[in-house]
Amino acid sequence: MIDKTFKDTKKTILYTLGVFLIFSLGYFLITLVIQINADTAQKISCWLSSNSW
């Protein structure tokens, strides 16, 4: 009985950790993409302003 509840608890903890890891990875990737896009947009706007006709 105690063994079963321990296994369930372990499974729940692992599941929670997995979900947390997936969410943090997703958040990291999204912020990275936003950062890259912001950098690119800044470079493009600098390039456009320096090459303005």
Side-chain angles (χ1 to χ4, degrees):
M1 183 75 187
I2 293 167
D3 194 40
K4 188 186 181 301
T5 52
F6 177 69
K7 275 184 184 165
D8 284 352
T9 310
K10 209 165 126 184
K11 201 186 291 181
T12 309
I13 289 169
L14 280 175
Y15 181 75
T16 311
L17 275 175
V19 169
F20 178 72
L21 273 174
I22 289 167
F23 269 109
S24 52
L25 259 176
Y27 179 75
F28 176 71
L29 283 177
I30 289 167
T31 47
L32 197 70
V33 166
I34 289 171
Q35 191 65 45
I36 289 168
N37 283 348
D39 265 7
T40 310
Q42 202 173 18
K43 282 184 184 125
I44 288 170
S45 66
C46 280
W47 184 78
L48 283 175
S49 61
S50 66
N51 291 346
S52 58
W53 39 82

